[in-house]
């Protein structure tokens, strides 16, 4: 039995896009203050990005 996919809520999509742009600005500002973060910070950021992508993929099926 196949699951029925619903159309995404436009308000939710707008909110997520605003959050994404806000995070992009935070990343840009952080790069100005510390252009070469230590390897631990880069590793943690990589883990956060990976988990975020996993969450997005999971949310598409909920």
């Amino acid at each position: 039995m196949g699951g029925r996919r619903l159309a995404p809520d436009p308000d939710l999509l707008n909110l997520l896009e605003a959050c994404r742009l806000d995070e992009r600005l935070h990343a840009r500002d952080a790069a100005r203050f510390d252009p070469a973060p230590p390897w631990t910070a880069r590793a943690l950021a990589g883990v956060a990005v990976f988990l975020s992508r996993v969450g997005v993929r999971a949310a598409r099926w909920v």
Side-chain angles (χ1 to χ4, degrees), residues 2-3 8 10 14-16 18-19 22-23 25 27-28 36-38 41 44-45 48 52-54 56-57 60-62:
N14 289 335
L15 175 63
L16 291 173
C19 291
D22 189 50
E23 288 304 315
L25 290 174
R28 186 194 67 198
L44 287 173
S52 176
R53 288 180 179 158
V54 169
V56 168
R57 287 180 186 230
R60 287 181 179 159
W61 299 106
V62 175

Side-chain angles (χ1 to χ4, degrees), residues 30-55:
R32 280 193 216 148
F33 291 116
D34 189 6
W39 72 268
T40 52
R42 290 192 309 271
L44 287 173
V47 169
V49 169
F50 172 76
L51 292 175
S52 176
R53 288 180 179 158
V54 169

